[in-house]
Amino acid sequence: MMMKHWVLRAALVGGLMVAPMAVQAQSKPAASATVMPVSQELLTSTVHEAWVESGRNEDKFFEMVQVCANLSAQKRGLTLPDTEAAGRKMGMLIKTASRRDSDQLLYAVVDAAVRQTATPTTAANTK
């Protein structure tokens, strides 16, 4: 089961936006409101680049984080916990790492947080 959406969101929104506001995004079409597919561009974007690509929009940026978290959990055979505490922990891990270095890959930041909060997938987790 997926971690509570609102808990992770609250933790991220509380200060993750580390990109300097002086840097202007190039004009690109906005991402659709549908589920964002995993793209090579997302997997190779730094935290700052992803923030700029989102149009500095918290909802779109959060979608990017969710896509990365789901991919990480799937590839590692992990299940994202569905608790408020785990969501808060994951959000704080992502926020702290992003603030420390906004030039690191967003996927790497999210993957590290997933490894610290997710649990191994078992037959009981997949039902």
Side-chain angles (χ1 to χ4, degrees):
M1 190 170 266
M2 195 166 126
M3 165 184 7
K4 294 230 185 263
H5 173 85
W6 61 271
V7 176
L8 177 59
R9 179 180 183 77
L12 284 171
V13 171
L16 178 60
M17 308 321 157
V18 296
M21 293 303 184
V23 178
Q24 296 298 315
Q26 295 179 356
S27 297
K28 292 187 180 180
S32 68
T34 61
V35 176
M36 184 181 303
V38 179
S39 68
Q40 184 70 22
E41 184 176 347
L42 178 59
L43 293 177
T44 60
S45 293
T46 66
V47 172
H48 173 75
E49 290 167 342
W51 175 238
V52 171
E53 180 64 29
S54 74
R56 294 180 170 85
N57 178 289
E58 293 173 1
D59 292 331
K60 290 178 184 175
F61 187 80
F62 182 71
E63 287 178 20
M64 292 175 170
V65 169
Q66 282 187 301
V67 168
C68 290
N70 289 332
L71 177 63
S72 173
Q74 175 191 355
K75 291 293 187 180
R76 292 185 176 281
L78 300 172
T79 299
L80 296 171
D82 190 19
T83 66
E84 183 176 342
R88 187 171 286 115
K89 178 181 177 182
M90 187 171 176
M92 291 305 293
L93 289 167
I94 293 168
K95 180 171 63 173
T96 300
S98 296
R99 282 183 173 172
R100 201 172 318 138
D101 180 7
S102 64
D103 290 327
Q104 61 187 318
L105 296 178
L106 176 63
Y107 181 79
V109 170
V110 174
D111 181 56
V114 167
R115 287 180 297 162
Q116 292 182 46
T117 56
T119 57
T121 300
T122 63
N125 295 46
T126 58
K127 290 183 181 177

